[in-house]
Amino acid sequence: MVKLKIIAIALFVIAVYILADSPDMRISVSAAPPVQETKVQGWTTEDRQTFYHTSQGTRFFPYKWLLALEAPGKLGQEPFLTEERIKRFRLIADPNTLNNPDQLPVGMAKEVSDDGEFVSLTCAACHTGQISFNGSVMRIDGGPSMHSVAPFIENAYIALADTYARPFKFQRFAKKVLGEDSTFSERLKLHGDIRKAIFAPPLFAEMQAKVSRLYPTEEGFGRLDALGRGVNLMVGTGLGDKRNLMVANAPVSYPHLWGTPFFDWTQWNGSIGQPLARNIAEALGVDTPIILKGKTEDLFKSSVNIQNLFLLEQTLMKLEPPRWPEDLLGAIDKDKATKGAALYQQHCASCHESKMAPPNEFGKTFVRINMYPLGQIGTDPTAAVNFNKRLVYTAQLSQPPYNLPERLTGTGTLQAVTTEVAKRKFEELHISPEMQDEMSGFRRNIIRAPLAYRARNMDGIWATPPYLHNNSVPNMYQLLLPADQRDKTFYVGNLQYDPKVLGFDTSKTPDAFLLRTNITGNSNAGHEFRDGPLGKGVIGPLLTDEERWAIIEYLKTR
């Protein structure tokens, strides 16, 4: 066993040297202009910093370790957490020290708990966007991120393995983490802790998953198979049953968040009704520690911070959609927009405009989201089908006192886990029943897996390219074309915005990701305006170019 561990460490270190010196790890990026806060979307600076840097309980790295870490594969002493590296992975640098004393990127926070301080990923990491135009940058709060955060985390662990392997680098690291006067035994323990971190789940499980081809469809910038990966982490690693691992080959975009707290189904795919359950599931899906096996009295114990999740949800209630910045992107043609409004009402409004649902059991009313069957909308079905057909071996949770079926649907398992996590937290924090209802958004925890997709509301839609749930259509103009006229391949990762077509520049850049629509999960079919019977992807008649441009002009006003 010892020999196997030594061999494994040796192989990992070899991989570190290969990856650290590979072209992907030596990408040069041009400096981006400073962010101009042209719009705050109803948020104060305090609201914005709350959203950016409030921990939800996730842990991807010890806090001091990340600050002390040096870049991998370097003989010098370049820090890991540089602005260049942050931008390389399309994360957003944040020089504002409000709630962020060490200037972590947007979407990272300091998690302080009884067992230490950690870097926590927040929902802002995936739901804060930026667009660039003519040397200016506009922040889109609550918009889809275009980052590639998983490779960023992997790169951090590669740097950690490099630290483990290089004695002088480790000595510098130890001084920063432990102080100048640390003892030999303290440094020896730190060295062992690094080794444990490298081979601890979920990191090692994630590496094994890649080898076993659990994630065959590459995600690239701005996409993640969040449900697939998150449920794999929870029911595969968490329950300790490899039979629960399922191929996750349906990357989806990060949806925009404005308006979300007021919908009757708060998850992007219409699967989760309660905001607290959705937020708990999201936190668990990005590595918030939870106990799902072991002593019965410890089950569902977690570091999920439901009070912070409630604070974040309240903050989101204030968020407004971004408004088209005419001073940055050009004036709106009012006459053309008026013509586009009429066309929108004729061809689009019936699907994309929502009505209020009747009062629920709490007497509260919410905006009803519009769901359309896969066969009708015709877009890539993989994400919906994967979630719908998922089954879970519930392991210890099938025993008393929980008595779940030995094999349960993925939705049933997720509903049971999120319910029990919330229940335990309510008890630990002595939260009153009245406050529990408020924190739960006055909605019961119901989770489903419809074979359908939601027609999203159009407010601020101009700021959320690429389009369709899997980012397979680069801009709004192409979304209004028949599918056979859309790009079959295009590059993602360039944040230069094209205000004419409402999309990003898709030309090749040194570190761009080539999205190929012929791969499973990446289809750009469906949602077509072309002549033919409605259904099977056809949603309206063939539009003229003049009509397409008029609709685009109208969408700038939303």
Side-chain angles (χ1 to χ4, degrees):
M1 181 63 71
V2 174
K3 288 183 178 180
L4 287 175
K5 286 185 177 180
I6 292 173
I7 292 171
I9 291 172
L11 290 173
F12 194 94
V13 171
I14 290 170
V16 166
Y17 283 106
I18 293 172
L19 288 171
D21 293 326
S22 69
D24 287 343
M25 296 301 172
R26 292 185 280 105
I27 296 167
S28 61
V29 294
S30 57
V35 172
Q36 296 180 357
E37 296 190 8
T38 55
K39 297 288 183 181
V40 294
Q41 300 172 234
W43 274 355
T44 64
T45 299
E46 290 76 12
D47 292 328
R48 176 179 268 187
Q49 293 302 113
T50 294
F51 183 67
Y52 290 173
H53 303 295
T54 295
S55 170
Q56 55 186 9
T58 64
R59 301 176 181 182
F60 95 85
F61 224 71
Y63 192 79
K64 287 186 178 180
W65 288 18
L66 186 64
L67 298 182
L69 201 62
E70 294 177 3
K74 302 286 185 180
L75 296 177
Q77 301 180 30
E78 176 190 332
F80 175 81
L81 204 61
T82 61
E83 187 172 354
E84 179 184 354
R85 181 165 284 98
I86 290 169
K87 291 177 179 176
R88 178 190 307 173
F89 295 99
R90 304 302 188 273
L91 295 167
I92 300 173
D94 185 14
N96 192 327
T97 57
L98 182 63
N99 297 342
N100 186 33
D102 295 299
Q103 299 183 10
L104 296 176
V106 168
M108 294 187 190
K110 187 176 185 179
E111 162 77 7
V112 180
S113 62
D114 294 338
D115 55 341
E117 298 178 349
F118 302 89
V119 178
S120 173
L121 290 178
T122 79
C123 43
C126 297
H127 301 284
T128 307
Q130 287 193 154
I131 61 175
S132 301
F133 185 71
N134 283 349
S136 295
V137 178
M138 179 179 176
R139 183 72 50 84
I140 309 294
D141 284 317
S145 299
M146 288 302 294
H147 66 51
S148 190
V149 73
F152 173 85
I153 294 173
E154 292 173 11
N155 201 219
Y157 275 94
I158 287 168
L160 190 63
D162 198 39
T163 301
Y164 179 84
R166 298 180 192 257
F168 290 112
K169 180 172 283 193
F170 172 76
Q171 291 299 326
R172 293 192 298 270
F173 179 84
K175 285 182 180 180
K176 294 174 184 175
V177 172
L178 301 173
E180 294 282 346
D181 300 326
S182 61
T183 64
F184 175 78
S185 61
E186 288 174 331
R187 293 192 294 274
L188 188 63
K189 180 180 181 303
L190 177 62
H191 201 253
D193 289 342
I194 292 176
R195 182 183 61 194
K196 291 177 184 177
I198 293 171
F199 290 99
L203 175 74
F204 203 57
E206 179 79 1
M207 293 172 59
Q208 290 175 318
K210 286 188 173 182
V211 173
S212 64
R213 302 186 184 279
L214 269 181
Y215 307 118
T217 302
E218 192 174 356
E219 291 150 332
F221 293 113
R223 301 194 311 167
L224 190 72
D225 191 335
L227 284 172
R229 286 177 176 270
V231 178
N232 273 348
L233 178 64
M234 187 187 307
V235 302
T237 305
L239 287 175
D241 193 329
K242 291 183 179 180
R243 293 178 299 174
N244 288 334
L245 295 174
M246 179 176 170
V247 170
N249 56 358
V252 300
S253 65
Y254 305 113
H256 58 270
L257 297 186
W258 45 85
T260 299
F262 308 106
F263 296 138
D264 58 348
W265 292 87
T266 60
Q267 179 71 357
W268 71 269
N269 64 346
S271 63
I272 305 178
Q274 186 191 89
L276 180 60
R278 179 205 62 207
N279 293 338
I280 290 173
E282 182 268 330
L284 295 176
V286 289
D287 194 22
T288 298
I290 182 175
I291 297 175
L292 295 177
K293 57 185 177 180
K295 296 181 180 178
T296 301
E297 61 268 25
D298 290 335
L299 293 181
F300 301 107
K301 186 177 183 180
S302 74
S303 64
V304 172
N305 192 322
I306 62 169
Q307 292 170 311
N308 280 358
L309 292 179
F310 180 53
L311 171 62
L312 290 167
E313 194 70 16
Q314 288 182 305
T315 303
L316 277 178
M317 288 182 177
K318 307 175 190 177
L319 182 65
E320 299 172 358
R323 300 302 176 191
W324 181 269
E326 293 189 280
D327 57 337
L328 176 64
L329 298 179
I332 296 173
D333 185 326
K334 300 298 190 296
D335 291 338
K336 186 183 291 187
T338 299
K339 294 176 183 177
L343 290 164
Y344 176 85
Q345 287 298 319
Q346 181 181 355
H347 299 299
C348 313
S350 61
C351 291
H352 289 284
E353 297 302 313
S354 298
K355 297 180 180 180
M356 298 300 294
N360 67 6
E361 61 186 291
F362 294 93
K364 304 293 184 180
T365 56
F366 298 97
V367 177
R368 174 180 286 157
I369 65 169
N370 301 327
M371 302 291 295
Y372 293 91
L374 299 179
Q376 180 178 349
I377 193 67
T379 53
D380 192 296
T382 315
V385 170
N386 283 359
F387 194 50
N388 177 273
K389 72 180 182 181
R390 185 147 204 162
L391 294 173
V392 175
Y393 292 93
T394 58
Q396 190 173 339
L397 303 186
S398 65
Q399 303 170 13
Y402 302 106
N403 298 314
L404 296 181
E406 290 185 4
R407 204 168 189 206
L408 184 61
T409 62
T411 54
T413 306
L414 189 58
Q415 182 172 312
V417 170
T418 52
T419 297
E420 292 299 329
V421 167
K423 179 181 176 182
R424 181 166 186 133
K425 284 295 179 180
F426 288 151
E427 292 172 352
E428 291 172 352
L429 298 171
H430 307 291
I431 295 174
S432 69
E434 295 76 17
M435 192 63 193
Q436 291 179 31
D437 288 342
E438 186 174 353
M439 295 179 74
S440 300
F442 298 103
R443 279 159 277 189
R444 298 297 180 196
N445 184 13
I446 301 173
I447 300 181
R448 63 183 186 177
L451 290 173
Y453 287 132
R454 169 189 163 198
R456 297 182 185 179
N457 298 70
M458 293 291 99
D459 293 339
I461 199 69
W462 61 267
T464 66
Y467 296 102
L468 293 186
H469 73 276
N470 58 357
N471 275 359
S472 61
V473 179
N475 54 60
M476 184 59 67
Y477 177 78
Q478 290 199 23
L479 191 59
L480 299 175
L481 290 172
D484 61 3
Q485 296 181 35
R486 297 168 183 165
D487 289 344
K488 303 306 178 187
T489 62
F490 58 94
Y491 287 94
V492 180
N494 190 337
L495 301 185
Q496 296 300 312
Y497 189 76
D498 185 340
K500 181 178 181 181
V501 296
L502 307 190
F504 290 117
D505 184 344
T506 59
S507 59
K508 185 177 181 180
T509 56
D511 59 346
F513 170 73
L514 180 63
L515 195 152
R516 293 175 290 171
T517 62
N518 64 342
I519 293 175
T520 301
N522 287 358
S523 172
N524 66 351
H527 195 280
E528 293 185 72
F529 289 96
R530 64 176 171 84
D531 293 331
L534 295 181
K536 298 183 178 180
V538 179
I539 62 170
L542 182 68
L543 301 172
T544 67
D545 236 21
E546 182 181 356
E547 290 173 326
R548 295 184 190 110
W549 294 123
I551 292 172
I552 285 173
E553 203 68 18
Y554 166 68
L555 292 177
K556 296 177 183 179
T557 70
R558 296 296 297 266

